[in-house]
Amino acid sequence: MRSVAIVGAGPGLGAAVARRFGREGFGVGLVARDRGRLDAIVDGLTAGGITARGCTADVRRPAELAAALRELADALGTVEVLQYSPVPHRDFMRPVLDTGHRDLVGPIEFSVYGPVAAVQQVLPGMRRLGRGTILFVNGGSAAVPHPERAGTSIAFAAESAYGRLLHDRLAGEGIHVAQLVIPGAITPGHARKDPDALARTLWALHRDRHGFRHYADDLES
């Protein structure tokens, strides 16, 4: 079975993407810190006929995250699609003049060490398959730095650079790397930023396989 691994899975976007890929025949692996929330999402997917499994891990602990992805691949099959989309902590969003070097440790662990650990874990399997998709999901400060959200602005810029490098390096191997920037908040009922609408967009990025950076909505939204 081919599988999708969603890092930072929650009841909104993560669950919506799980349903979308599950309907296409993917086994669904979910990674988050909260076991109760994971179990609830897995139970809902299973009730809908989707094969799913959850593993707990903190994305700021690279070895823990890699172990979770390894366990999911063992249970569900080689990870063909990786989505990295955990929601940043509020304390990462300090004004730039109030942000010291120690304040950047968490954001960098979250948005650089985590993605690198995840990609390094799943990439060998994708290369064996000769195909794969890596999806990074970020807020608007990945594209336009925000002076009141210095930590995420700086760390998202680094994550974006890493993703772009992967996109350019792996395209020739049949592995597509893309970033979806979501300006503002994920909003139920919104035409473009409802979780199900975003899940359709992410499915299209996997299916259509063109370009690196994409926007869910206008940056001013």
Side-chain angles (χ1 to χ4, degrees):
M1 176 181 288
R2 55 184 179 166
S3 70
V4 55
I6 302 168
V7 177
L13 179 61
V17 171
R19 291 191 297 269
R20 185 67 185 86
F21 277 81
R23 288 198 299 271
E24 299 292 337
F26 282 80
V28 175
L30 306 169
V31 180
R33 291 185 302 165
D34 189 316
R35 169 53 67 184
R37 177 176 291 184
L38 274 177
D39 288 344
I41 299 171
V42 169
D43 288 347
L45 294 170
T46 301
I50 295 170
T51 301
R53 181 166 181 155
C55 285
T56 58
D58 186 337
V59 299
R60 293 175 63 180
R61 298 178 177 175
E64 193 174 291
L65 177 55
L69 289 168
R70 185 164 56 249
E71 181 177 334
L72 292 174
D74 289 343
L76 298 168
T78 301
V79 175
E80 183 176 336
V81 179
L82 170 70
Q83 176 176 304
Y84 191 87
S85 54
V87 177
H89 299 270
R90 288 191 177 276
D91 61 3
F92 294 171
M93 302 180 195
R94 297 175 183 268
V96 63
L97 297 182
D98 297 334
T99 299
H101 67 280
R102 291 186 178 86
D103 297 315
L104 295 176
V105 172
I108 295 298
E109 288 176 339
F110 193 90
S111 295
V112 181
Y113 296 174
V116 171
V119 169
Q120 288 294 307
Q121 179 59 41
V122 303
L123 187 56
M126 291 182 180
R127 281 176 148 164
R128 286 193 296 271
L129 288 175
R131 64 183 186 275
T133 302
I134 298 168
L135 301 169
F136 296 103
V137 180
N138 297 106
S141 59
V144 180
H146 195 297
E148 300 302 309
R149 302 169 191 163
T152 53
S153 294
I154 293 166
F156 280 173
E159 183 180 345
S160 299
Y162 177 60
R164 168 65 75 173
L165 292 171
L166 291 174
H167 170 84
D168 294 345
R169 175 62 181 80
L170 294 172
E173 299 185 38
I175 298 169
H176 180 58
V177 182
Q179 178 189 49
L180 180 64
V181 174
I182 305 173
I186 295 173
T187 308
H190 191 283
R192 299 176 69 181
K193 294 192 293 184
D194 177 86
D196 287 332
L198 292 168
R200 289 193 294 271
T201 298
L202 287 159
W203 170 256
L205 295 182
H206 164 67
R207 180 193 62 205
D208 298 340
R209 312 179 72 74
H210 63 82
F212 171 65
R213 176 172 284 177
H214 303 263
Y215 296 89
D217 203 359
D218 297 332
L219 284 172
E220 296 76 16
S221 65

